[in-house]
Amino acid sequence: MKFKTVAILGAGAVGAYFIWGLSEKLDENLWIVADGERKARLEKEGILINGKRYPLHVRTPKEAHGADLLLISTKYGALQSILEDVDTVVDEHTVVMSLLNGVDSEEIIGARIGMEHMVYSMMKIASERKGSSIVFDAPSTLGVYFGEAGRSTPSERMLAIEELFRDTGIHSHMCEDIIRDIWYKYAFNVSRNQPQAMVSCGVGAYEDSEHMAYLCRKLQEEVVAVAAAKGIDISSMESDVGKGSPSNKGARYSTLQDLDAKRHTEVDMFAGAMVRMGKELSIPTPYNDFTYHSIKALEEKNDGKFDY
């Protein structure tokens, strides 16, 4: 098995990492999926990554039908709206990797196209948009983690993914327990993405402020409890997967970057999902409940609903 054509749905911070890594290896066999005005703009402008402009081979979902591998790298909030496009791209042999944050995107996509297409995966990257350029430090980026649920030995398609990323600069990691590792990352995002967004500070505050450290710890404890109720043990957060890519003290994670840019955040996937799962499992999640409403209020303020 070999992936000769790769389609990317979502050319933001995560998608840019794969455009950067795969463009030279795949050339015209690396496709960005878009249509309408967005297709025309991407074809005309390309994408600026770490100061270098990359031309893009853009295909509509229908034109990208039958890609060997589909990488989904949109924001979580766009997931429902792209399912039709995903369905159009995928044929019986297409393998799909969802690189979205959270713990349920594979199931949502798999319910539409069939779970047999899905390889579980996640990203760990510290990137940001500076003007029109997406910027990340490639050597220190931890990269993509992937695996098959319930399978610790490599399958044929896992080996094909490993081969695809070899010698590209993309850092990839084949996981023995990908579900647990996805929950490790989820706990990291819930506990570190959100407090800094509420306080509007760099990540160095988690080391310098006992109060930020306290909020981080309490949010993390709620994720650990919910995961345990689902039979997933993430009590040891010392795993490398439970840590972020190296960053300086002033780094701002995606939730705060969204608020800075007056965009809506992924809080529904973080605190919102935690509150929902907590209710389903009868597990209290007071810190995530408070966090959810705090960040929603900040979104409303950015929207101009109030400014006094």
Side-chain angles (χ1 to χ4, degrees):
M1 181 183 224
K2 184 176 182 179
F3 296 126
K4 297 179 181 178
T5 56
V6 176
I8 299 176
L9 185 54
V14 171
Y17 182 65
F18 292 92
I19 294 169
W20 165 82
L22 293 174
S23 287
E24 184 175 346
K25 183 171 186 174
L26 295 179
D27 193 23
E28 62 184 17
N29 289 321
L30 178 65
W31 308 332
I32 308 305
V33 181
D35 54 18
E37 182 277 330
R38 186 165 181 272
K39 180 177 186 290
R41 176 172 53 81
L42 289 173
E43 287 176 327
K44 178 182 178 181
E45 300 178 2
I47 186 171
L48 194 60
I49 305 171
N50 292 340
K52 177 182 176 180
R53 190 166 300 279
Y54 288 76
L56 299 175
H57 303 281
V58 188
R59 294 196 173 196
T60 66
K62 181 179 281 189
E63 291 169 341
H65 176 73
D68 294 331
L69 176 65
L70 172 62
L71 302 175
I72 301 176
S73 53
T74 62
K75 285 281 193 178
Y76 184 89
L79 181 54
Q80 292 295 333
S81 67
I82 65 165
L83 289 178
E84 185 174 348
D85 289 343
V86 172
D87 201 6
T88 301
V89 172
V90 170
D91 75 0
E92 66 275 2
H93 85 286
T94 304
V95 175
V96 179
M97 296 172 67
S98 172
L99 304 166
L100 281 63
N101 285 323
V103 292
D104 60 359
S105 66
E106 279 87 0
E107 283 72 24
I108 293 171
I109 297 165
R112 178 67 178 257
I113 64 172
M115 284 301 297
E116 67 273 12
H117 292 280
M118 304 303 300
V119 170
Y120 283 81
S121 57
M122 64 177 188
M123 277 297 297
K124 296 190 78 69
I125 183 170
S127 61
E128 60 182 310
R129 188 178 293 275
K130 293 186 176 180
S132 60
S133 180
I134 294 171
V135 178
F136 54 82
D137 181 62
S140 66
T141 294
L142 295 177
V144 59
Y145 295 72
F146 64 95
E148 307 259 22
R151 179 170 183 162
S152 59
T153 57
S155 65
E156 184 181 5
R157 60 185 186 175
M158 287 172 65
L159 292 173
I161 292 168
E162 187 176 59
E163 171 59 29
L164 173 68
F165 296 142
R166 187 173 292 129
D167 301 322
T168 65
I170 291 172
H171 295 157
S172 65
H173 314 267
M174 192 183 299
C175 301
E176 292 186 0
D177 190 343
I178 186 62
I179 303 299
R180 181 196 62 194
D181 290 342
I182 286 173
W183 274 85
Y184 273 133
K185 184 200 174 186
Y186 186 60
F188 178 90
N189 276 331
V190 167
S191 62
R192 293 179 69 88
N193 230 311
Q194 299 185 126
Q196 74 150 192
M198 290 188 289
V199 178
S200 188
C201 62
V203 298
Y206 291 113
E207 295 179 5
D208 298 336
S209 167
E210 65 177 291
H211 307 292
M212 286 292 289
Y214 178 86
L215 291 173
C216 176
R217 184 171 67 253
K218 288 299 183 181
L219 286 165
Q220 180 177 296
E221 287 172 356
E222 292 180 359
V223 182
V224 170
V226 167
K230 291 177 172 286
I232 304 164
D233 181 9
I234 58 167
S235 56
S236 174
M237 289 295 291
E238 295 307 309
S239 164
D240 287 342
V241 183
K243 301 173 183 176
S245 289
S247 56
N248 60 53
K249 284 194 169 189
R252 300 162 91 82
Y253 293 137
S254 61
T255 303
L256 182 50
Q257 287 185 42
D258 286 339
L259 290 175
D260 287 342
K262 299 190 181 299
R263 297 187 297 260
H264 281 202
T265 72
E266 294 182 310
V267 69
D268 291 293
M269 177 190 61
F270 294 144
M274 276 299 302
V275 171
R276 173 179 54 78
M277 290 186 287
K279 288 179 180 177
E280 292 170 354
L281 297 165
S282 299
I283 295 174
T285 55
Y287 285 89
N288 275 283
D289 194 20
F290 176 83
T291 297
Y292 174 79
H293 292 287
S294 295
I295 293 177
K296 281 294 184 182
L298 290 170
E299 290 180 351
E300 288 181 338
K301 184 178 180 182
N302 279 343
D303 289 345
K305 189 170 185 178
F306 60 88
D307 189 17
Y308 39 82

